[in-house]
């Protein structure tokens, strides 16, 4: 019995050392999602596997270094454009090289939920899932839903207007753009452009600027 316990302890210890080594080198690591920025695809507090073995491709979720402590040194977003691509956002829809690339993605947006509809609609939503209610005006609140659900319930999407300037966007690109009217912009050499799937509640490349390819440390391979 003692030898079996000893052997089991050795195996567990060796596996632990291997996992630490894999995590330290980003070859394979388990990550707990601490953000709602990529919902509904990457749920808040969900577990995922990351690896630096795959080469980042369009549509991958990538983990990259950031220079502030707010995000713990690393952050995850979806890679939507690479060097040489022309990116433009029109009425909140992402176009890469003239093609609507949002059409096949399951994305969340913010919708206006009038107080007159609140009591009847709130019963339909499971609040322990990815749906979030945000403070709006005195008469309305905002709710995060996918486009199909928002349209089904006859809700109006929260959109910035043409000419409305976002200070963070202007700081990053020196252009009078906002999250819903952005570009056109050609992605520079050795840069990536990333965005969150929770489009109206994601502090991504629209506000933070480009991602250096050298700062990408891993790709999400399972979630």
């Amino acid at each position: 019995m003692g030898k079996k316990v000893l052997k089991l302890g050795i195996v567990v210890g060796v596996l632990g050392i291997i996992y630490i080594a894999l995590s330290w080198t980003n070859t394979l690591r388990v990550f707990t999602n601490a953000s709602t920025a990529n919902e509904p695809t990457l749920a808040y507090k969900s577990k995922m596997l990351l690896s630096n073995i795959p080469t980042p491709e369009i549509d991958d979720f990538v983990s990259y270094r950031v220079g502030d402590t707010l995000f713990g040194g690393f952050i995850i977003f979806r890679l939507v454009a690479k060097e040489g691509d022309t990116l433009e956002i029109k009425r909140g829809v992402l176009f890469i090289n003239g093609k609507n690339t949002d059409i096949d993605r399951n994305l969340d947006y913010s919708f206006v939920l009038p107080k007159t509809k609140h009591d009847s609609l709130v019963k339909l939503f499971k609040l322990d899932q990815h749906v979030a209610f945000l403070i709006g005006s005195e008469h309305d609140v905002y709710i995060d839903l996918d486009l199909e659900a928002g349209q089904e319930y006859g809700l109006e999407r929260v959109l910035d207007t043409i000419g409305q300037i976002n200070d963070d966007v202007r700081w990053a690109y020196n252009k009078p753009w906002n999250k819903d009217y952005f570009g056109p912009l050609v992605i520079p050499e050795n840069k990536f452009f990333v965005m969150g799937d929770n489009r109206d509640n994601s502090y991504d490349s629209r506000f933070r600027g480009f991602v250096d390819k050298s700062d990408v440390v891993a790709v999400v391979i399972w979630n």
Side-chain angles (χ1 to χ4, degrees), residues 107-181:
L107 306 173
D108 267 2
Y109 304 97
S110 292
F111 291 88
V112 179
L113 181 60
K115 289 289 180 64
T116 55
K117 290 186 176 182
H118 181 276
D119 292 340
S120 60
L121 289 181
V122 73
K123 297 177 182 178
L124 300 175
F125 304 124
K126 296 179 180 179
L127 299 184
D128 59 338
Q129 295 184 355
H130 68 271
V131 174
F133 290 88
L134 308 173
I135 297 175
S137 68
E138 181 182 353
H139 304 290
D140 306 314
V141 294
Y142 299 152
I143 182 172
D144 288 346
L145 294 170
D146 62 72
L147 193 60
E148 183 178 351
Q151 293 174 340
E152 178 182 352
Y153 300 124
L155 304 180
E156 178 185 356
R157 185 179 165 191
V158 179
L159 286 169
D160 290 346
T161 58
I162 297 177
Q164 180 179 343
I165 298 174
N166 180 282
D167 289 337
D168 287 340
V169 175
R170 180 167 55 182
W171 176 85
Y173 299 97
N174 195 29
K175 297 289 185 179
W177 301 335
N178 57 58
K179 66 180 179 65
D180 297 313
Y181 291 91

Side-chain angles (χ1 to χ4, degrees), residues 4-22:
K4 290 183 179 180
V5 172
L6 178 61
K7 288 180 180 179
L8 179 61
I10 293 173
V11 170
V12 172
V14 170
L15 291 176
I17 292 172
I18 292 174
Y19 175 72
I20 291 172
L22 291 175

Side-chain angles (χ1 to χ4, degrees), residues 46-209:
S46 63
K47 301 289 186 180
M48 62 194 77
L49 284 178
L50 284 73
S51 175
N52 64 0
I53 296 176
T55 300
E57 301 292 345
I58 297 297
D59 264 343
D60 285 341
F61 284 98
V62 297
S63 173
Y64 64 95
R65 302 182 188 91
V66 292
D68 55 56
T69 57
L70 177 62
F71 296 99
F74 295 92
I75 193 168
I76 292 178
F77 282 125
R78 187 189 291 275
L79 174 58
V80 299
K82 293 183 174 183
E83 56 187 350
D85 287 335
T86 299
L87 178 147
E88 187 171 12
I89 302 172
K90 296 182 288 187
R91 194 171 170 78
V93 177
L94 175 65
F95 292 84
I96 304 296
N97 301 322
K99 178 183 177 181
N100 178 352
T101 59
D102 281 349
I103 195 167
D104 295 322
R105 292 173 180 152
N106 185 24
L107 306 173
D108 267 2
Y109 304 97
S110 292
F111 291 88
V112 179
L113 181 60
K115 289 289 180 64
T116 55
K117 290 186 176 182
H118 181 276
D119 292 340
S120 60
L121 289 181
V122 73
K123 297 177 182 178
L124 300 175
F125 304 124
K126 296 179 180 179
L127 299 184
D128 59 338
Q129 295 184 355
H130 68 271
V131 174
F133 290 88
L134 308 173
I135 297 175
S137 68
E138 181 182 353
H139 304 290
D140 306 314
V141 294
Y142 299 152
I143 182 172
D144 288 346
L145 294 170
D146 62 72
L147 193 60
E148 183 178 351
Q151 293 174 340
E152 178 182 352
Y153 300 124
L155 304 180
E156 178 185 356
R157 185 179 165 191
V158 179
L159 286 169
D160 290 346
T161 58
I162 297 177
Q164 180 179 343
I165 298 174
N166 180 282
D167 289 337
D168 287 340
V169 175
R170 180 167 55 182
W171 176 85
Y173 299 97
N174 195 29
K175 297 289 185 179
W177 301 335
N178 57 58
K179 66 180 179 65
D180 297 313
Y181 291 91
F182 186 103
L185 176 70
V186 178
I187 311 303
E189 186 177 359
N190 294 320
K191 302 289 185 180
F192 286 154
F193 197 99
V194 298
M195 294 179 69
D197 280 10
N198 190 353
R199 284 295 168 79
D200 297 325
N201 294 285
S202 174
Y203 196 68
D204 49 40
S205 282
R206 290 170 293 179
F207 311 101
R208 302 180 65 91

